[in-house]
Amino acid sequence: MNTPDHASPDDIRGMFSAAMSAMYRKEVPAYGQLITLVAQVNDRRLADDPALRDRMQATGELGRVSYERHGAIRLGTPAELLMMRRLFAVMGMHPVGYYDLTEAGVPVHSTAFRPLTQSALNANPFRVFTSLLRLDLVQDAALREVARQLLQNRRIFTDDCIALIERAEAQGGLSPADAATFVQQALETFRWHADAPVDQTMYRRLHDAHRLLADVVAFRGPHINHLTPRTLDIDAVQRMMPDHGIAPKAVVEGPPARRCPILLRQTSFKALDEAVSFAGSPGQHTARFGEIEARGQALTPKGKALYDRLLTRARAMVTPKSDGSNAAEYICALETNFADFPDDADTIRLQGLGYCEFSVRPGMDTPPAPGSDAEALIASGHLRAHPLTYEDFLPVSAAGIFQSNLGDEAAQDFAANPNRAAFEADLGAPTHDEFALYQQLQDASLARCMAQLGMAPA
C-alpha cells in the first residue's frame, strides 16, 4: 500500500528506466544514435499525421512515446527468477504471459514484467522480457553440471538491493531516498561485465552447445541484452538506419506493414563483438544488439489465432534466412497471406478481432438515445473507439531477432517443450493472462464513457 511517505511505483519505474537507458547508451554508443533517429522519425510522423496525434492524445499515450523502452535479460536459476520478480514488483511491474521459445530453437522460457493498468502504462510502460535458461535441455550431462555449478556460485543482486526489496515488501513501499538508492543498486544487476569467471576453453564449450548458454552461464550477471525504443514508423527507421551508420537486419519481424497496425513489429542492428577477459585471457563475445519496435492493436484470442494461422502459412511458403538473401520473397509471402486479415478499424472491431479503448467524443450537444450500446453510440457520434495498444511480445519475432543477429546456426532443434507450471513454480507466482488484462482495459474504458454520458453500464 502506498502512503505519502512512499515513492510511487510509477516514479521508481521511471527513474529506473531512465537510469538503464543512460547506462546502456554508455555501454553501446550505437543505442544513442538509434534513440536520436527514432525521435526524429516520431516527431515527423506526428507532425504529418494529425489524426494519429489526436488519437494518442485522447488515449493518454502521446506523452509516453518519447521514453518508452523495453529491455531483455536472461537468467540462469530459479532463485534468480524469484528475486527478479520481487525486484520488479517494487517498480509496479508484474509477470504477464508465458512464452515457450524451445519451439524456435532457443532453450529458454520467459515472461514479460510490465505495468498492468492503463494509468500505470501511460505513466511509464517500461517492460523487461525475462527468460530463464532451460538447463534440462542441455544434452551434454557433464557440461550441464558444470553450468549448474557456475550459476549456483554467482550472486547477481547486491546485498543492499535485496535489503531494499525486503524493506519495500515489509513497509508497502520505499521512501524517496530509499527509492533512489534502490534504483542504483538494482542497476548493478543489469550492468555489463567485461571480465568473465570462466576460461576460453569453457566459454567455447558453452558456446558450441548453444550461443545463449554461453551468454547466460559464462558471465557474472544478466547484462541487459538490448534496450528498445518505440517508433511510430518502423519502415522509415529501417530505411534510414544505413544513413546513420547503422546496419539493420534484412526483414522487419512480425506482421507486414498495414494501414491498421496490429501486435508488434521489430527490427534491429547487428550484435556487437565485445572484448571480454576470460579468466585473464583476452577474447570476445557477441550477443548484445540494438532493437526498435512499433506497436499496433492488441488482438483478441480470435484475432491472435487468425494472425498465427496467417504467419504460419507465410513461413511455410518462405522460411526467412538470417542473411536476408530471401527477404523480398518472404515479405511478398507475408503481404499475400495477411491480405486475409481485415485492415480497417471498424471491421477489426465488429469481427471481434481486436481490443479497443473507448472515449467520449467532445462537443456533442445531442444527448444519446436511452439504452444505446457501444456500437449505437459509435454510430451516433457520441463514442470513439481507438485501437488498444499491444503491450506484450511475440515469441516467433523474438527468435527471428535472435537468429538474424547470431546466425541460423544459433537456433537448434529442440522439441517444443512448454512447462508453464514449472516456470510459475520457479517464479513464485502465476503469470497474468494478457487477454484477460486487455479485456479488463476495454471494459473499464467503456464503463468510464457510459458514466460520463450519464448512461447505465453496458
Side-chain angles (χ1 to χ4, degrees):
M1 179 175 64
N2 296 325
T3 74
D5 297 328
H6 291 159
S8 76
D10 291 348
D11 288 344
I12 300 174
R13 185 170 66 256
M15 292 164 56
F16 183 78
S17 175
M20 180 88 84
S21 188
M23 181 186 77
Y24 200 65
R25 189 186 292 261
K26 290 180 181 178
E27 294 181 351
V28 182
Y31 167 72
Q33 296 173 269
L34 204 62
I35 294 297
T36 300
L37 172 58
V38 168
Q40 292 172 354
V41 169
N42 288 353
D43 289 345
R44 184 181 308 165
R45 178 64 192 279
L46 289 169
D48 292 344
D49 192 344
L52 174 63
R53 173 181 283 275
D54 290 347
R55 176 177 69 77
M56 297 187 75
Q57 184 73 56
T59 58
E61 277 195 87
L62 188 60
R64 83 185 214 184
V65 172
S66 62
Y67 52 78
E68 184 163 349
R69 304 284 185 273
H70 96 245
I73 56 172
R74 300 156 180 170
L75 304 175
T77 69
E80 291 178 355
L81 180 65
L82 176 62
M83 185 57 71
M84 191 63 73
R85 175 182 63 78
R86 296 170 63 191
L87 181 151
F88 283 132
V90 177
M91 296 184 265
M93 300 165 65
H94 306 281
V96 178
Y98 171 78
Y99 304 90
D100 171 35
L101 269 65
T102 58
E103 61 186 24
V106 184
V108 300
H109 49 183
S110 316
T111 192
F113 289 95
R114 66 166 178 86
L116 302 181
T117 67
Q118 197 64 67
S119 61
L121 287 162
N122 286 344
N124 190 302
F126 185 58
R127 320 164 183 85
V128 179
F129 190 81
T130 303
S131 299
L132 178 64
L133 180 65
R134 299 282 300 276
L135 270 181
D136 58 300
L137 299 179
V138 177
Q139 296 181 354
D140 184 331
L143 183 62
R144 186 168 63 243
E145 179 58 23
V146 170
R148 187 192 66 79
Q149 292 179 6
L150 285 167
L151 291 170
Q152 290 294 337
N153 289 336
R154 74 178 187 177
R155 296 292 179 268
I156 69 171
F157 303 97
T158 70
D159 290 342
D160 287 344
C161 182
I162 293 173
L164 286 166
I165 291 170
E166 292 173 344
R167 185 177 301 171
E169 292 171 342
Q171 298 179 165
L174 293 174
S175 69
D178 281 346
T181 302
F182 166 79
V183 166
Q184 294 306 312
Q185 292 297 314
L187 202 64
E188 294 304 310
T189 296
F190 300 84
R191 193 178 298 281
W192 169 253
H193 296 282
D195 59 323
V198 302
D199 60 25
Q200 292 231 39
T201 300
M202 177 53 61
Y203 172 81
R204 182 52 53 183
R205 284 184 64 192
L206 293 165
H207 181 278
D208 290 348
H210 197 285
R211 289 186 181 219
L212 186 141
L213 185 64
D215 188 57
V216 176
V217 176
F219 290 87
R220 301 186 184 280
H223 40 259
I224 190 74
N225 185 258
H226 58 269
L227 205 57
T228 304
R230 176 184 173 186
T231 181
L232 301 177
D233 190 342
I234 198 167
D235 296 299
V237 173
Q238 180 86 343
R239 290 192 303 270
M240 295 170 66
M241 282 168 70
D243 296 335
H244 288 71
I246 305 170
K249 70 185 297 296
V251 175
V252 176
E253 295 289 340
R258 296 164 43 89
R259 291 191 304 274
C260 297
I262 56 173
L263 296 178
L264 180 68
R265 302 182 72 212
Q266 297 169 285
T267 189
S268 70
F269 63 73
K270 288 288 186 179
L272 306 173
D273 294 328
E274 299 184 87
V276 177
S277 175
F278 292 105
S281 175
Q284 68 177 28
H285 177 65
T286 306
R288 299 197 302 165
F289 54 91
E291 185 177 279
I292 313 98
E293 66 183 17
R295 292 189 171 271
Q297 185 171 9
L299 300 184
T300 63
K302 178 182 178 182
K304 182 59 165 55
L306 176 58
Y307 169 84
D308 289 341
R309 287 197 302 273
L310 298 179
L311 182 64
T312 299
R313 204 164 73 189
R315 294 174 77 89
M317 291 174 59
V318 180
T319 301
K321 296 180 180 179
S322 64
D323 63 4
S325 58
N326 65 346
E329 291 88 345
Y330 179 62
I331 292 171
C332 182
L334 276 179
E335 292 173 343
T336 298
N337 284 280
F338 272 86
D340 290 343
F341 199 110
D343 199 12
D344 69 274
D346 288 340
T347 304
I348 291 173
R349 185 185 75 254
L350 291 170
Q351 291 188 6
L353 299 174
Y355 293 102
C356 295
E357 182 175 0
F358 298 98
S359 68
V360 173
R361 187 181 299 277
M364 287 293 292
D365 298 326
T366 306
S372 296
D373 62 9
E375 289 303 327
L377 291 168
I378 291 171
S380 67
H382 290 86
L383 205 59
R384 296 180 294 183
H386 314 279
L388 189 61
T389 298
Y390 184 65
E391 307 287 354
D392 296 292
F393 296 93
L394 301 172
V396 173
S397 295
I401 294 283
F402 178 79
Q403 291 165 21
S404 68
N405 276 284
L406 301 181
D408 289 321
E409 73 279 2
Q412 298 179 13
D413 291 330
F414 296 109
N417 193 354
N419 194 338
R420 183 172 192 147
F423 183 86
E424 291 183 338
D426 293 339
L427 185 68
T431 55
H432 293 268
D433 178 78
E434 59 270 34
F435 295 113
L437 291 175
Y438 292 124
Q439 187 66 55
Q440 290 169 13
L441 293 177
Q442 177 175 284
D443 292 347
S445 73
L446 182 57
R448 288 194 300 269
C449 291
M450 298 299 276
Q452 190 175 342
L453 291 169
M455 304 181 70

